[in-house]
């Protein structure tokens, strides 16, 4: 059996695959952070709307704001 007959991946091929996986991981992480930020913003807007409606109800009952 000669060295040329052995099957397997070369170091260059493995480095290319690792590089591609690293790029895909970075892109995925950036997208995830964007989704997380948008959901945080949506939750904050919902909380502010709830506070606004509760303040309006309080004012309706007491004719002044707390």
């Amino acid at each position: 059996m000669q060295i040329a007959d052995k099957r397997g991946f070369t170091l260059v091929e493995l480095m290319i695959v690792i590089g591609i996986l690293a790029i895909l991981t970075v892109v995925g992480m950036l997208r995830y952070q964007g989704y997380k930020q948008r959901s945080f913003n949506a939750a904050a807007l919902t909380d502010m709307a709830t506070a606004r409606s509760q303040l309006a109800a309080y004012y309706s009952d007491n004719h002044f704001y707390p």
Side-chain angles (χ1 to χ4, degrees), residues 45-62:
L45 288 174
T46 302
D47 291 344
M48 289 189 319
T50 301
R52 183 183 318 127
S53 66
Q54 289 175 348
L55 283 170
Y58 185 90
Y59 182 82
S60 176
D61 291 341
N62 301 308

Side-chain angles (χ1 to χ4, degrees), residues 3-50:
I3 294 176
D5 292 339
K6 290 186 178 181
R7 301 280 179 175
F9 297 108
T10 65
L11 183 60
V12 173
E13 291 171 333
L14 290 174
M15 294 302 290
I16 290 171
V17 170
I18 290 171
I20 291 171
L21 288 175
I23 290 170
L24 290 174
T25 302
V26 168
V27 169
M29 289 175 62
L30 291 174
R31 286 194 173 205
Y32 173 72
Q33 289 175 351
Y35 292 139
K36 190 170 72 170
Q37 185 64 39
R38 279 190 292 238
S39 68
F40 178 78
N41 291 346
L45 288 174
T46 302
D47 291 344
M48 289 189 319
T50 301

